[in-house]
Amino acid sequence: MHILLWFKRRFIPDMDHFVQSEIASRLDEAIAAGEHFPTTGIIRVAHSASPVVPTFQSNVEDLINDLPPGSALTPVDFEAFVHRTMASAMIQLILGKDYLSPDNIKRVEKIAVEVATLGGIFQNMSWFARTFPRVWRIATWLRVFLYSIPINFILGIGHEVYHQLGQIDAYDKEGHRDSDGGTAFTWARKYVDHSQGQIGVLDRLWILTVVLGMIFASVHQTAVVMVWIAFELAKRPEDVKLIREEMDREGMSMRYASLRRFEYLDSFIREVMRTKGDTLSTVRMTTMDVPLGGYIIPSGSFVIPLATQSHESELFHGKKAREFIGDRWVGQEKPASMLSPSYWPFGLGRWACPGRTLAVAEIKVLMLLLLQRTDFTLEGDDYKVVDPLTVTSVAPEGILLFRRCA
Ligand code: HEM
């Protein structure tokens, strides 16, 4: 973490600005303006430049085509499916359609997991890493910085992005629309030095660093949370029934505004995020001695609060705080992306996750498409939490079995 503080430029605020200005403020463009479609049958998408719905639709279609005909339940590697799906959608959203290729999808999946590894997210899971943390950290940094990032990012995608950033003015004059070039190139325009007519070398390298961070932030955690939501849906057929009734009622438009009407599904997502446990990613460092709960936290300390202390607190959530109640939030005007001291799976305050509205919308789109076309259940009707301290970064383990809807 300390390394980020060495940068003169501000990495996290720049990523934050990127998401706020290019993605969160234009969610309908990012998601897709879909037309209404019946609960079974083909989905039509009106706005082909929008990456999320068409990509999710075509990946769900592939998943269904791989299932055998009939009613046999078939295991699907769901974690790989959601990573692939998120990587495809985010490549298009961040870099543009020209970058979408099977090789780039694999590279982005790999980069997302490698940056997660670099952040120590998987450290708990390895005996070697727990026993020799320093050696593990040095070996991991060397592997990721000297091998994975150069091979998968710099040689794979980075040099093309670097080249395109150098052409950005010429690109504008050719009359390409923003959505063709990806949000990274729209955002990068603020770096054009108009006296030179170009983006300078250092700025281009900086933009690449921010793009790398964005790929990690937008792919990995959302994919992992999709696994959580699908596993919980598979365990709770009574909630699935209510969500399907809502799908019939609402008519299944895929516009961002329409997605917000899926109140039951939203409540279910919020309840999964509230009850799933801790993720040590909301971190703060004290810049002065801070009094807290009768103690003084010295300046320069990392503070990592445990979300479960708020999420399972009876003070906030009543006697049934530890129970999973799928419709707990229906009619409460508390959507899954709305944070407060009683609910902060996306962090809290000034540095809360700027991508949370996109993430929740993406989770909704995928779950609606899956519930529309498939039935799914969990082998053994259960899953295993692999690491209770990093639940939104490490997917739970379980096998989802799918069949086409009758
Ligand atoms: C379900 C999926 C996601 C989860 C659980 C999640 C969670 C988080 C958390 C806990 C933080 C730290 C917040 C804090 O310190 O208060 C964070 C920060 C961040 N997230 Fe997300 N996130 C998700 C999806 C996304 C997506 C889709 C994007 C981008 C499109 C994104 C972009 C970011 C960025 C840029 C930051 C740094 C923000 C800052 O510190 O100002 N996240 N996220």
Side-chain angles (χ1 to χ4, degrees), residues 143-405:
R143 192 193 70 233
V144 174
F145 276 111
L146 297 184
Y147 177 74
S148 296
I149 291 183
I151 294 289
N152 293 298
F153 187 64
I154 298 173
L155 296 177
I157 300 174
H159 78 278
E160 280 180 50
V161 176
Y162 180 87
H163 179 72
Q164 188 171 337
L165 287 170
Q167 308 276 309
I168 218 153
D169 262 9
Y171 193 75
D172 280 349
K173 281 177 209 135
E174 282 164 24
H176 288 262
R177 285 181 304 131
D178 288 352
S179 54
D180 293 335
T183 45
F185 299 104
T186 324
W187 179 73
R189 279 186 197 130
K190 75 182 184 127
Y191 287 95
V192 172
D193 173 350
H194 289 285
S195 60
Q196 307 278 324
Q198 261 202 335
I199 300 179
V201 170
L202 281 180
D203 283 331
R204 281 192 250 167
L205 293 175
W206 179 248
I207 295 164
L208 278 181
T209 312
V210 174
V211 165
L212 184 64
M214 279 296 302
I215 288 174
F216 164 66
S218 63
V219 173
H220 182 69
Q221 300 218 81
T222 312
V224 170
V225 174
M226 283 168 169
V227 175
W228 273 96
I229 307 287
F231 280 10
E232 284 293 333
L233 282 171
K235 277 180 73 175
R236 300 176 190 279
E238 66 290 359
D239 288 304
V240 167
K241 187 168 167 285
L242 291 167
I243 294 168
R244 283 195 167 131
E245 284 169 13
E246 186 173 60
M247 289 159 67
D248 285 341
R249 269 195 317 276
E250 295 302 337
M252 302 276 288
S253 163
M254 291 276 160
R255 283 185 174 278
Y256 174 63
S258 324
L259 286 172
R260 294 169 66 184
R261 291 206 303 265
F262 288 92
E263 215 190 344
Y264 197 100
L265 176 58
D266 194 276
S267 168
F268 189 91
I269 294 170
R270 183 171 164 112
E271 193 63 351
V272 175
M273 301 214 65
R274 183 186 74 86
T275 53
K276 66 186 171 9
D278 285 297
T279 292
L280 306 184
S281 53
T282 300
V283 187
R284 299 290 183 269
M285 196 179 84
T286 51
T287 53
M288 59 174 80
D289 291 357
V290 180
L292 186 72
Y295 295 89
I296 299 285
I297 315 235
S299 175
S301 310
F302 276 122
V303 181
I304 308 180
L306 293 176
T308 43
Q309 296 291 313
S310 308
H311 291 182
E312 296 177 4
S313 156
E314 289 191 6
L315 194 69
F316 288 132
H317 302 289
K319 283 261 172 286
K320 294 185 176 169
R322 285 194 181 78
E323 261 177 57
F324 184 102
I325 303 173
D327 62 354
R328 183 187 287 267
W329 306 104
V330 173
Q332 302 294 312
E333 305 288 329
K334 286 186 178 160
S337 57
M338 184 188 278
L339 309 175
S340 72
S342 61
Y343 171 82
W344 42 277
F346 295 100
L348 196 58
R350 186 175 165 200
W351 304 117
C353 174
R356 62 190 185 275
T357 38
L358 173 67
V360 172
E362 288 170 329
I363 294 166
K364 280 187 185 166
V365 169
L366 187 68
M367 295 308 140
L368 289 171
L369 293 172
L370 289 173
L371 289 172
Q372 186 200 30
R373 307 286 305 281
T374 67
D375 290 319
F376 49 94
T377 182
L378 266 168
E379 195 175 78
D381 207 25
D382 212 355
Y383 60 82
K384 190 174 125 202
V385 176
V386 185
D387 180 354
L389 284 179
T390 52
V391 290
T392 42
S393 306
V394 180
E397 268 175 19
I399 297 178
L400 273 183
L401 307 170
F402 280 82
R403 72 172 159 233
R404 297 157 200 241
C405 266

